[in-house]
Amino acid sequence: MEAPAAAHNPAESGTEQSGAEQSGTVRIVVDSPDEMRELGRRLAKLLRAGDLVMLTGELGAGKTTLTRGLGEGLGVRGAVTSPTFVIARVHPSLVDGPPLVHVDAYRLGGGLDDMEDLDLDVSLPESVIVVEWGEGKVEELTDDRLHLLIHRAVGDTTDEVRHITLTGVGERWAAVDLSAV
């Protein structure tokens, strides 16, 4: 299992490395929730059935807003809202694409064992699975995943700027140009 990512420092540069092979790291800055949603729509064009997307960031960082954009880009049914209290929501495709499985692992304990009842390993081959707060919990599902680390200013602020680090892990992402997003 790869080591948990450290808090993102937007001033840092270079490619992060861990125990899992990474295809590259791209950093993006968005200035508003609308831009975060649009990033999700653009990112959806790169996704296919079998993809695992992990979203890491503080409360209010924009994980669900980004996932809403992913849902729009994938053409799925239903409003994409935070699944915090239901843990997971499945959004079937309206356009003959893969369904979106949106998971919020915030209230779950550590490790894949605590998520076993969700049957993510069964859903993964035919779905795009997006897991908020999944770091340290779902990496064992697959060697290939896209990890988005979202950093926002914390404290008493109205700052809408988000610094996002996209890291492709594994063979699936080795040939994907994340900078095209």
Side-chain angles (χ1 to χ4, degrees):
M1 178 184 293
E2 74 183 281
H8 172 67
N9 178 352
E12 292 177 356
S13 61
T15 301
E16 300 166 15
Q17 293 297 320
S18 70
E21 186 168 329
Q22 297 182 354
S23 65
T25 298
V26 172
R27 290 180 175 80
I28 297 173
V29 176
V30 298
D31 295 318
S32 69
D34 288 339
E35 285 185 22
M36 181 69 83
R37 199 167 174 170
E38 177 58 30
L39 174 62
R41 285 191 288 269
R42 290 192 320 263
L43 187 59
K45 295 175 184 174
L46 300 178
L47 298 177
R48 63 185 188 208
D51 283 342
L52 172 64
V53 179
M54 291 179 12
L55 304 179
T56 302
E58 297 91 355
L59 286 170
K63 296 178 294 295
T64 300
T65 300
L66 184 123
T67 305
R68 192 169 294 125
L70 288 172
E72 291 169 5
L74 291 170
V76 299
R77 184 178 72 211
V80 175
T81 59
S82 177
T84 299
F85 297 105
V86 295
I87 310 299
R89 293 184 199 279
V90 178
H91 298 274
S93 177
L94 296 171
V95 295
D96 228 11
L100 172 68
V101 178
H102 183 199
V103 179
D104 187 329
Y106 182 75
R107 295 185 309 128
L108 299 177
L112 193 55
D113 291 341
D114 289 344
M115 299 186 74
E116 195 170 276
D117 289 339
L118 298 177
D119 287 332
L120 296 179
D121 54 337
V122 174
S123 301
L124 184 60
E126 71 271 356
S127 305
V128 170
I129 297 181
V130 176
V131 183
E132 298 185 27
W133 305 97
E135 192 171 20
K137 299 175 183 172
V138 296
E139 290 90 340
E140 294 173 20
L141 278 173
T142 178
D143 291 334
D144 301 307
R145 62 192 163 278
L146 182 61
H147 187 185
L148 282 77
L149 180 60
I150 306 169
H151 176 76
R152 71 172 183 89
V154 292
D156 188 18
T157 180
T158 58
D159 187 359
E160 297 288 344
V161 175
R162 304 295 191 261
H163 297 267
I164 301 132
T165 304
L166 290 84
T167 304
V169 178
E171 266 186 57
R172 156 70 175 105
W173 295 100
V176 176
D177 181 9
L178 292 175
S179 67
V181 176

